[in-house]
Amino acid sequence: MVGLQEGMCPGLDGGLLRSLLAADVKTVEDLVSSDLEEVAQKCSVSYKALYAIRRVLLAQHTAFPVSGADLYDELLSSTAIISTGNPSLDKLLDSGLYTGEVTELSGGPGSGKSQVCFGVAVHVSHQLKQRVIYIDTTGGLTASRLLEMLQSETSDRDEQMEALQRIHVFRLFDAYSLRDRLSTLRSGGLLQASGGGSVKAVIVDSVSAVISPLLGGKQNEGMSLMIQAALALKTMAKDFGVAVLVTNHVTRGGRGEVQPGLGASWSHIPRSRILLERTDRAPSGCSSTLRSATLIKSSRQPCLIKEELDLQWWSRSERRSSGKRKRDEADS
Amino acid sequence: MNAGETCRSCRLRWEESRVSDYGVSHGACRVDVFAFLQLLARLEARRCLKDIEPRLFLRPVYLIQWRDLYLCVSGKTELLYHLLCRCVLPEAAGGLEVDALFVDTDYSLDMLRLVSILDSRLSSAGLEEAALRSSLSRLLVVHCSSSSQLLLTLHYLETTLNSRPSLALLLIDSISAFYWLDRCEGGASISRQEEKLSKCAELLGRLLRDYKFTIFATCHTIRRSSSGLAASRSSTLEADRPYLCRPWQRLVTHRVLCSRQEAENHTAGGSREEKRQVFGVHCSSSSSRTKASRISPFCVTDAGVQFI
């Protein structure tokens, strides 16, 4: 709701504003939806003047239609695919994280969601040399783990430090600060937060940790916060051309099957969703780094395809050998 | 429906060419659902009527609301793109060549996927790149970031409708995007919570009466069905409990429910059997006495939706 203010448009002076307020027309929406003849009579102003003001306000506050062809051209030039660094994950996601979209990773405790997030952050900052914004709501991020992953990529101390500097971490532990931080980032804070460099990935680990305590019951505020955070993430992804990766917990569905948490309202937010699970193949007694990833929602691939993911991929030192093909950023 | 007869509902005469176009399947465009048949027939009938009398804007008055059940993966978006393609494609590729306005409230328009569907349909019809550009130029996209902006944009829609007489379709995806935001902003009073959407609904009703175009609106499920993939039809209909405000419910004339069905085994030209995800669409109309109780199955291919 945008309130009417003096000087908002030519013709809206103090006197007219007062008479409009007296006629119970307080916001732009009220003025636009009201019957102008009636309002003109009540406020004793000319219909023409009101009509002109209405036209200007409408032009100022409406979203303008864009032709599909222009939108497509813009998208072709601005969309990039960010490789996650792990070939199996890339195959599942149709070659990587797409900028302008929100991708969700869900899994139970210990399924490796945070490890995947670390791996993606390290890959983007070191291999692709782009900045990453990492919002940590669980307290699971430690710089020493990131350093350990970087040490397997390169032994040059300077390069490691540079890569670490490109990862900007925000620690938040409640839904209100998450929403506020995302709003700040969306309204231009992205460049400031990253110190002027280009941000290509925003990782939120995890969204459900701060939102799910507020859901349930008759209160609407939790759902509203969730949708506000979601809209901020999507707007940020689209406007700044970043790939957003979020993590989510899992719950059991009606038939006992594992499904991502946060409910049906959240399920429409991410464009692609992956479910991580422990594989049964590992012999008991030894901790395996293998996980099974299932694609449960995608606009590009058929659903329910599975891939086996090795969480140690990002820490393997054999990757530095020349035999491996490097996946870089590619334009779609 | 034979040529020369008058359709009872829209009182327009069927032309012979339309009937023959209609009976033949245009590849991926074969539609089986009865209400869809009626709707698309009306779109076609309106077009031919426009050829007879260009100043008469007689367009069908339908507001169709899509719901999806059982989680996000229900093929709803694919069906939407299928209908959008059908509208903007040139006639040679099986389209209607009308303008469409897409109101995107939650950044869910996947332009790349839409273009790939258009491309595959155009190339199967043997048309070139230029046809893709012209089809895309028939599509207008507006993005709204709040329900106030949606209301203001719909007010501005009147100007757009006047300036583009070939605009026949308005797609809103989705009308329920701001539901929780409005509920929280409205506080404790339900009328304040529903105020903005009611105003949008009233405005749309007025525009529909004056300009007579078609509106498709999608609406997300907010409650998961506890029975999962239900086999019985009655639970399908029960799970679709409308939650948007009353003025909107009154405006809706057709309801389409998309749901996911069990993946069926499909032998793909070799010895390897693949499981193909099959979706179903169920259409009910508030005006028809008998509910169309069929669920029409479809699956999603690279070229978009294919009815089975």
Side-chain angles (χ1 to χ4, degrees):
Chain A
M1 289 291 210
V2 185
L4 284 172
Q5 281 161 18
E6 200 177 322
M8 225 173 185
C9 77
L12 193 64
D13 55 3
L16 179 56
L17 187 64
R18 274 191 292 274
S19 38
L20 280 176
L21 289 175
D24 208 24
V25 175
K26 299 193 191 73
T27 60
V28 175
E29 290 86 16
D30 287 339
L31 181 60
V32 166
S33 2
S34 56
D35 183 8
L36 285 185
E37 283 181 12
E38 210 182 295
V39 175
Q41 265 183 355
K42 265 199 235 175
C43 306
S44 49
V45 288
S46 78
Y47 176 80
K48 240 172 90 168
L50 264 186
Y51 188 78
I53 292 176
R54 179 187 189 268
R55 216 170 58 175
V56 172
L57 284 177
L58 207 55
Q60 277 176 357
H61 289 97
T62 315
F64 279 109
V66 178
S67 148
D70 296 336
L71 195 62
Y72 179 57
D73 290 334
E74 198 193 307
L75 214 62
L76 272 187
S77 61
S78 63
T79 307
I81 310 181
I82 313 278
S83 162
T84 57
N86 187 320
S88 338
L89 194 57
D90 280 347
K91 196 162 137 198
L92 210 59
L93 287 170
D94 193 20
S95 53
L97 298 168
Y98 278 62
T99 56
E101 290 182 8
V102 176
T103 311
E104 181 200 75
L105 202 59
S106 51
S111 54
K113 315 185 285 290
S114 300
Q115 292 300 313
V116 173
C117 291
F118 296 161
V120 171
V122 157
H123 180 81
V124 172
S125 78
H126 179 252
Q127 299 286 349
L128 306 179
K129 308 259 185 296
Q130 302 288 344
R131 288 166 192 265
V132 178
I133 302 249
Y134 197 109
I135 299 181
D136 181 24
T137 63
T138 56
L141 176 72
T142 51
S144 49
R145 176 67 185 132
L146 291 178
L147 186 60
E148 198 184 322
M149 283 174 141
L150 277 168
Q151 274 164 351
S152 68
E153 298 229 1
T154 169
S155 48
D156 181 7
R157 187 88 182 150
D158 289 332
E159 269 187 41
Q160 289 166 7
M161 285 302 122
E162 259 180 44
L164 277 183
Q165 269 172 359
R166 281 192 277 260
I167 305 179
H168 301 266
V169 179
F170 293 98
R171 287 211 159 86
L172 320 153
F173 299 103
D174 66 278
Y176 296 93
S177 13
L178 177 67
R179 178 198 54 185
D180 294 340
R181 172 60 57 191
L182 287 175
S183 309
T184 325
L185 285 175
R186 181 183 70 172
S187 46
L190 207 67
L191 287 177
Q192 285 164 16
S194 65
S198 69
V199 178
K200 273 293 168 217
V202 172
I203 304 179
V204 183
D205 178 23
S206 70
V207 168
S208 56
V210 287
I211 304 270
S212 56
L214 298 180
L215 298 179
K218 288 201 189 275
Q219 44 180 341
N220 303 324
E221 198 159 8
M223 298 297 292
S224 168
L225 276 174
M226 180 172 87
I227 300 293
Q228 283 174 34
L231 283 180
L233 280 171
K234 286 187 135 185
T235 320
M236 198 161 48
K238 263 288 177 302
D239 290 347
F240 295 105
V242 297
V244 177
L245 179 65
V246 299
T247 55
N248 194 0
H249 68 289
V250 290
T251 55
R252 293 239 171 229
R255 290 180 311 168
E257 82 280 8
V258 174
Q259 63 189 14
L262 289 182
S265 302
W266 173 264
S267 65
H268 306 288
I269 306 289
R271 188 69 66 80
S272 316
R273 305 178 97 189
I274 292 183
L275 184 67
L276 278 183
E277 284 167 310
R278 288 178 173 271
T279 47
D280 298 324
R281 274 186 346 135
S284 58
C286 103
S287 65
S288 161
T289 56
L290 289 175
R291 297 288 182 270
S292 132
T294 315
L295 187 67
I296 45 181
K297 176 183 178 186
S298 167
S299 52
R300 285 174 284 272
Q301 307 252 61
C303 281
L304 301 179
I305 53 180
K306 279 190 192 247
E307 280 288 331
E308 210 163 74
L309 211 64
D310 186 2
L311 288 181
Q312 261 188 343
W313 186 269
W314 287 281
S315 324
R316 278 163 60 160
S317 48
E318 293 114 63
R319 284 207 302 136
R320 279 184 284 135
S321 68
S322 55
K324 289 268 185 257
R325 182 170 64 95
K326 290 239 173 21
R327 309 275 313 255
D328 346 32
E329 215 174 288
D331 279 325
S332 75
Chain B
M1 179 66 68
N2 297 321
E5 266 192 359
T6 306
C7 169
R8 261 184 301 261
S9 342
C10 65
R11 291 188 289 279
L12 295 169
R13 289 179 69 82
W14 283 87
E15 269 195 350
E16 199 172 312
S17 58
R18 294 302 148 202
V19 172
S20 62
D21 272 350
Y22 202 51
V24 169
S25 73
H26 290 277
C29 293
R30 189 165 60 103
V31 181
D32 279 334
V33 182
F34 178 64
F36 272 8
L37 295 184
Q38 276 194 318
L39 168 72
L40 290 177
R42 281 186 177 81
L43 284 176
E44 288 175 306
R46 175 193 37 80
R47 237 165 22 93
C48 78
L49 193 71
K50 226 175 76 168
D51 293 333
I52 297 171
E53 180 63 80
R55 281 177 298 173
L56 191 67
F57 288 127
L58 196 62
R59 294 175 197 189
V61 200
Y62 280 110
L63 179 54
I64 300 187
Q65 177 182 277
W66 245 285
R67 285 287 301 279
D68 63 339
L69 301 178
Y70 318 134
L71 292 182
C72 51
V73 187
S74 56
K76 167 171 65 87
T77 318
E78 283 295 325
L79 208 52
L80 206 69
Y81 292 159
H82 168 75
L83 282 158
L84 193 55
C85 289
R86 178 111 164 88
C87 284
V88 301
L89 278 175
E91 286 190 45
L96 298 170
E97 263 183 71
V98 293
D99 286 4
L101 178 65
F102 194 103
V103 177
D104 186 12
T105 54
D106 54 359
Y107 279 122
S108 57
L109 176 63
D110 189 358
M111 203 65 195
L112 300 174
R113 174 68 185 150
L114 184 65
V115 168
S116 77
I117 297 177
L118 278 173
D119 208 18
S120 54
R121 290 195 187 175
L122 283 171
S123 53
S124 64
L127 292 168
E128 295 163 1
E129 179 76 20
L132 179 66
R133 292 257 136 216
S134 66
S135 307
L136 281 177
S137 63
R138 277 181 220 119
L139 175 66
L140 281 177
V141 179
V142 186
H143 175 77
C144 295
S145 52
S146 68
S147 42
S148 326
Q149 201 178 29
L150 179 63
L151 183 61
L152 292 175
T153 309
L154 291 175
H155 275 287
Y156 191 74
L157 183 61
E158 204 166 343
T159 329
T160 321
L161 280 169
N162 284 328
S163 62
R164 285 176 91 115
S166 56
L167 187 64
L169 181 65
L170 174 66
L171 271 156
I172 304 181
D173 184 18
S174 64
I175 196 83
S176 60
F178 308 121
Y179 173 70
W180 290 112
L181 298 175
D182 287 343
R183 267 189 78 167
C184 190
E185 246 182 84
S189 104
I190 298 203
S191 56
R192 269 196 66 203
Q193 285 173 8
E194 296 178 343
E195 191 191 336
K196 286 189 219 168
L197 197 60
S198 315
K199 282 195 187 163
C200 287
E202 280 158 22
L203 178 61
L204 281 175
R206 186 173 63 80
L207 288 175
L208 276 174
R209 276 192 300 275
D210 294 341
Y211 293 91
K212 297 191 166 54
F213 53 105
T214 313
I215 303 183
F216 291 176
T218 62
C219 180
H220 293 311
T221 332
I222 53 170
R223 237 164 246 114
R224 267 189 241 221
S225 151
S226 54
S227 52
L229 296 171
S232 68
R233 201 129 314 120
S234 56
S235 59
T236 306
L237 297 173
E238 270 162 28
D240 170 36
R241 235 173 282 131
Y243 59 89
L244 292 175
C245 61
R246 284 218 174 274
W248 175 261
Q249 300 303 333
R250 279 196 290 264
L251 204 56
V252 174
T253 54
H254 283 67
R255 270 178 231 280
V256 175
L257 291 180
C258 294
S259 58
R260 186 169 48 174
Q261 300 184 327
E262 292 292 343
E264 58 175 47
N265 286 327
H266 162 71
T267 324
S271 53
R272 197 166 50 100
E273 268 200 15
E274 300 181 339
K275 271 204 172 193
R276 207 170 44 161
Q277 190 69 246
V278 173
F279 302 96
V281 59
H282 170 271
C283 191
S284 63
S285 158
S286 55
S287 55
S288 72
R289 302 245 174 83
T290 56
K291 288 203 184 275
S293 57
R294 267 186 316 171
I295 291 192
S296 299
F298 66 91
C299 67
V300 177
T301 60
D302 276 340
V305 158
Q306 229 171 15
F307 282 89
I308 298 172

